[in-house]
Amino acid sequence: MATTVSLVLGSGGARGYAHIGVIEELQRRGYEITCIAGSSMGALVGGVYAAGCLHEYKDWVTSLGKMDIFRLLDLALTRGTIRGERLFTRIREIVGDPLIEDLPLSYTAVATDIFRQKEVWFQRGSLQAAMRASISVPGFFTPVVSGDKVLVDGGVLNPLPIIPTVAAHADLIIAVNLNAKDAELGRPKIVAEEVVDRSGFSDVWRSANGRGAKAAGKTRLGPRIGGRIDVLLDSVEVMQASLSQYKIAGYPPDLVVEIPSDLCSFYEFHRAAEVIEVGRQIAREQLDALENGGAG
C-alpha cells in the first residue's frame, strides 16, 4: 500500500514553481497525495494538481518568456495592480472550473479577509475563485471582493497552512516552505540575467505607476534598493518567512522541504523550468534523508 501524504504548499511568488518539482518527485517515488492545503502560489499549483492538470500547466509555464509574462499583465492603472483576468482565462482553459468538493482529494486554499483580519479557508465551491482569492498579493493583484469580505493573499496571515492537513490523517505531513533562509542552506541562487535589476518586471511596474527606471534607486554599491513594488514585495517576503517559522514550530510536519528564499525573485515567472528542477532536486535530497531515517 502506498504511503499517503498531506501536502502543504507555501507562498512565495515565482518560487512556487518549485512545488511542481516536489510533487513530481513524490509521484516518482510512489507516494499518494490525499490532501493539499496551499497559500498563494501553493494554492494555485495545488489546485491545478488536484484537478489533474499539472502536466498541461507545467508545459505552459515552462514555455513562457519575459514578454509572454508581460502580455498576461492586465494592469488596473488607477490602482496600480493586476486584475488577473488574462492569467485566469488561460488557467481556466487548462483546468476548467470544477467544484472543490468534486476534486479527487481534499483541497484547501487559504486567503486573508483584511476587513475582518482573519483567514478564510476555501474547501467548497469554485476552484477558480479559491485560487484567485488566495494569490491576491497586496499591491500586486487586485483584492477579491466577495460579499462583505475583501480577500487578499493567504500568505498575509498564513504562508504555510499546515492545520488544514492535520484532519486528513495521512501517513505523512510534508510542507514545502518557499521562504527558507538561504545562508543556512548553503545553496546557490538562480543567477538573475541582469546585474542590478532582477527581472525587468519592476521597470514595467514603475512605468505603470508613473515612475521611470531611474527612480528605481539602482546602484552597484551596497544593497539594491528598488522602487515601491520591490520594497513592498521584499517586505511581504520578510513577513512570510517569519510567519512560516511560527507555523512550523506550532505544528511540526514530518518533513519540511526547504526552498531557499533567494532561489529567484518573487516575480521571475519566466524561470519556471529552472525553479521546478531545483524543487525536484531539493525534494529528492530531503526525501532520501527521510526514507533513510535521517530527517527529523
Side-chain angles (χ1 to χ4, degrees):
M1 182 178 294
T3 300
T4 58
V5 171
S6 285
L7 190 58
V8 185
L9 302 178
S11 60
R15 292 192 302 280
Y17 287 140
H19 293 318
I20 298 174
V22 174
I23 290 171
E24 290 180 339
E25 183 62 20
L26 288 168
Q27 290 180 309
R28 187 185 71 82
R29 291 171 182 251
Y31 289 95
E32 180 185 357
I33 300 170
T34 58
C35 174
I36 288 180
S39 192
S40 198
M41 270 294 283
L44 177 57
V45 173
V48 171
Y49 171 76
C53 301
L54 190 65
H55 180 73
E56 294 85 351
Y57 176 76
K58 177 186 175 183
D59 284 347
W60 174 54
V61 298
T62 54
S63 73
L64 297 175
K66 278 188 183 180
M67 292 310 301
D68 300 308
I69 300 296
F70 294 158
R71 292 187 190 104
L72 287 170
L73 306 183
D74 43 1
L75 292 172
L77 297 181
T78 57
R79 287 180 285 175
T81 46
I82 298 167
R83 292 188 296 271
E85 293 172 6
R86 293 178 191 167
L87 171 63
F88 271 88
T89 294
R90 183 68 185 104
I91 291 174
R92 189 174 289 106
E93 292 171 355
I94 296 171
V95 179
D97 190 14
L99 296 175
I100 293 172
E101 56 266 34
D102 291 338
L103 297 173
L105 52 80
S106 174
Y107 171 81
T108 303
V110 178
T112 300
D113 181 354
I114 56 174
F115 182 71
R116 290 183 172 81
Q117 302 179 21
K118 67 177 186 179
E119 294 177 32
V120 175
W121 292 5
F122 288 86
Q123 296 176 316
R124 300 183 63 82
S126 163
L127 176 63
Q128 291 285 332
M131 295 189 298
R132 174 62 180 86
S134 188
I135 70 161
S136 299
V137 181
F140 193 82
F141 280 104
T142 54
V144 171
V145 179
S146 177
D148 59 353
K149 298 183 180 69
V150 180
L151 302 175
V152 298
D153 192 314
V156 169
L157 287 180
N158 194 349
L160 200 63
I162 299 169
I163 296 177
T165 67
V166 174
H169 301 295
D171 297 321
L172 296 172
I173 296 177
I174 296 177
V176 185
N177 176 25
L178 303 180
N179 296 289
K181 291 182 179 179
D182 335 300
E184 293 179 0
L185 296 172
R187 297 181 183 278
K189 63 183 176 180
I190 294 176
V191 179
E193 295 162 3
E194 291 145 12
V195 175
V196 290
D197 200 355
R198 289 176 289 184
S199 73
F201 174 83
S202 52
D203 282 345
V204 173
W205 187 272
R206 282 186 288 274
S207 296
N209 283 276
R211 296 167 62 88
K214 291 182 179 179
K218 296 180 183 179
T219 177
R220 293 180 182 270
L221 299 174
R224 185 193 61 80
I225 301 175
R228 286 181 295 176
I229 187 61
D230 298 291
V231 173
L232 175 60
L233 293 178
D234 287 347
S235 299
V236 167
E237 293 201 322
V238 169
M239 174 193 72
Q240 291 185 352
S242 179
L243 285 172
S244 295
Q245 292 307 310
Y246 281 114
K247 298 300 180 182
I248 292 168
Y251 294 89
D254 296 288
L255 175 66
V256 181
V257 178
E258 300 278 18
I259 307 297
S261 61
D262 71 346
L263 173 60
C264 69
S265 298
F266 180 94
Y267 41 65
E268 290 188 299
F269 289 98
H270 59 290
R271 315 194 79 160
E274 297 166 89
V275 176
I276 290 169
E277 184 56 32
V278 172
R280 186 193 333 275
Q281 291 173 2
I282 295 175
R284 183 180 300 131
E285 294 169 8
Q286 297 190 11
L287 286 166
D288 281 345
L290 177 69
E291 292 169 2
N292 293 327

